[in-house]
Amino acid sequence: MDNHTRQDNFNAHYEPFRSNSLGEMEMLGAGLTGEDLAAVPEHWLSFPAPPASAHTALALLYIFFTAAALLGNGLVIFIFSTTKSLRTSSNLLILQLAILDFIMMAKAPIFIYNSAMRGFATGTIGCQVFALMGAYSGIGAGMTNACIAYDRYSTITRPLDGRLSRGKVLLMMAFVWIYSTPWALLPLFKIWGRYVPEGYLTSCTFDYLTNTFDTKLFVACIFTCSYVFPMSLIIYFYSGIVKQVFAHEAALREQAKKMNVESLRANQNAGSQTAEIRIAKAALTVCFLFVASWTPYGVMALIGAFGNQQLLTPGVTMIPAVACKAVACIDPWVYAISHPKYRQELQRRMPWLQIDEPDDNISTATSNTVTAPQTATA
């Protein structure tokens, strides 16, 4: 009897907390009406609203990403566009990639504001702007990466006549924007697909959750054209570079054996990395960045269109969105900050950065001074 009384008192004590937690649970999309509510896929309306701490954490993360990406890519755009020696054909592609990455994070204030307001605060218009900028920058960056891979492949495999002219590079840059336009505008005007909020309703992308044939076909096509196609090109071209370098190194070693010398690279230090290792690392870095940033999003879209949608919770879908933004912060380091002439220009204009990069002009002048008397004597 005593145990029964204690159990009743225990249940009575916790009953208010249970009823309040169920009765006052706020669902995603609560308070939305009209056009804003119609824009939200029904899938998200069945989930409870995330805690305020989750919105705050994502907002702070996006603030960091935005500052890093805008600063890094802004420096690349400024230095490459104002330095005559850096305005080469190949560097124009790097400049375009920096512009696309800049656009990728220029839309982040919409997300940050939505997170601060804990929901779909900017409404349908903000959603369309956010998704449109994301489509152009995401698809454009993928195709620009493929163009950069082709440029390097052409230059390395055909050193005498493989360097692309400025006209060809400009055509490739224009092609990237033309190629991205249909996939960006068709959902905007709801001709094929549409832009909808996702996850915590603070970011937007193309609809991959509506269970219709048109949606499934759109997801399959955009996945193929914006992910599979550029990914295949990147892997093909960088694999060709690595294969070419390996073949070149093998030929040098074979020639060295015939000449009874240890190596044909007279000025190569014993502890320095071989050329094939350096090229292989660069190729793997480029491929890894593209795979790591866009594979989660591609897999999520395929699951939403063709798989078990119950796997896609609001929290899970925010992970691919963060991964796509992170690459915009890393690209300036991979493509530009490792560029010797870019580092020299940063060193000249911003000495307080303490960048230690040897000046090519000084090295060349010193070399000419040393070799000139020998040539005259000969």
Side-chain angles (χ1 to χ4, degrees):
M1 183 69 180
D2 184 58
N3 289 338
H4 182 71
T5 303
R6 288 181 180 178
Q7 186 67 27
D8 289 343
N9 291 335
F10 181 85
N11 291 335
H13 176 75
Y14 280 98
E15 189 62 32
F17 295 96
R18 291 174 178 171
S19 60
N20 286 342
S21 63
L22 293 175
E24 297 179 5
M25 180 180 292
E26 183 180 355
M27 306 298 288
L28 273 174
L32 298 180
T33 59
E35 186 179 0
D36 289 348
L37 181 60
V40 181
E42 293 184 6
H43 175 77
W44 303 123
L45 301 179
S46 61
F47 291 93
S53 58
H55 283 300
T56 302
L58 281 173
L60 293 175
L61 183 62
Y62 266 65
I63 289 173
F64 170 77
F65 280 169
T66 303
L70 296 186
L71 177 62
N73 290 292
L75 276 176
V76 172
I77 295 170
F78 173 70
I79 298 296
F80 273 73
S81 60
T82 58
T83 306
K84 186 176 181 180
S85 61
L86 288 175
R87 290 199 294 269
T88 63
S89 300
S90 298
N91 287 344
L92 288 177
L93 293 171
I94 296 178
L95 179 61
Q96 173 158 289
L97 182 63
I99 292 173
L100 290 167
D101 285 339
F102 192 93
I103 294 173
M104 171 70 76
M105 294 311 300
K107 64 188 177 68
I110 297 176
F111 178 91
I112 296 170
Y113 178 77
N114 283 339
S115 296
M117 302 303 293
R118 303 178 187 176
F120 198 42
T122 56
T124 305
I125 296 178
C127 180
Q128 302 299 304
V129 172
F130 185 95
L132 179 67
M133 295 174 68
Y136 266 116
S137 56
I139 299 173
M143 292 304 299
T144 302
N145 274 316
C147 292
I148 291 173
Y150 171 70
D151 171 67
R152 294 181 177 180
Y153 172 81
S154 178
T155 302
I156 292 176
T157 58
R158 295 186 294 126
L160 297 179
D161 59 346
R163 190 172 298 276
L164 300 182
S165 65
R166 181 176 292 267
K168 288 183 179 179
V169 170
L170 291 175
L171 284 176
M172 293 169 65
M173 293 170 65
F175 170 77
V176 168
W177 288 95
I178 295 172
Y179 184 87
S180 304
T181 295
W183 303 112
L185 295 185
L186 288 175
L188 179 68
F189 296 111
K190 298 181 180 179
I191 299 172
W192 192 19
R194 62 172 184 154
Y195 290 136
V196 296
E198 64 173 344
Y200 292 165
L201 308 186
T202 49
S203 63
C204 292
T205 186
F206 60 90
D207 183 10
Y208 51 81
L209 290 170
T210 302
N211 192 21
T212 63
F213 176 77
D214 282 347
T215 299
K216 295 179 185 294
L217 183 60
F218 178 80
V219 170
C221 290
I222 196 172
F223 175 78
T224 301
C225 294
S226 64
Y227 177 81
V228 175
F229 184 52
M231 167 71 76
S232 302
L233 290 176
I234 289 172
I235 293 176
Y236 173 79
F237 289 131
Y238 278 106
S239 298
I241 291 174
V242 173
K243 183 179 179 180
Q244 175 74 14
V245 173
F246 282 175
H248 178 67
E249 291 295 315
L252 286 179
R253 287 193 294 267
E254 187 66 25
Q255 185 66 25
K257 287 182 181 179
K258 293 179 179 180
M259 299 174 63
N260 292 325
V261 296
E262 184 176 351
S263 174
L264 295 181
R265 299 181 181 275
N267 59 344
Q268 183 177 11
N269 296 327
S272 64
Q273 292 179 316
T274 58
E276 63 258 34
I277 297 298
R278 294 197 302 271
I279 295 296
K281 283 186 175 182
L284 288 174
T285 301
V286 171
C287 293
F288 173 77
L289 278 177
F290 188 77
V291 171
S293 60
W294 287 106
T295 297
Y297 221 114
V299 171
M300 181 183 67
L302 292 180
I303 292 175
F306 303 102
N308 182 9
Q309 294 186 353
Q310 296 305 313
L311 297 174
L312 302 181
T313 64
V316 167
T317 56
M318 298 310 296
I319 298 174
V322 171
C324 293
K325 308 304 179 294
V327 74
C329 306
I330 302 173
D331 275 345
W333 296 85
V334 175
Y335 289 107
I337 293 184
S338 60
H339 194 301
K341 291 187 179 297
Y342 175 75
R343 289 170 57 85
Q344 291 168 9
E345 194 63 25
L346 276 181
Q347 179 177 277
R348 186 179 68 83
R349 299 194 186 195
M350 303 176 185
W352 47 271
L353 289 176
Q354 299 296 313
I355 297 174
D356 185 17
E357 184 69 31
D359 194 336
D360 289 342
N361 295 329
I362 295 177
S363 301
T364 304
T366 304
S367 176
N368 290 339
T369 303
V370 173
T371 57
Q374 297 174 354
T375 305
T377 304

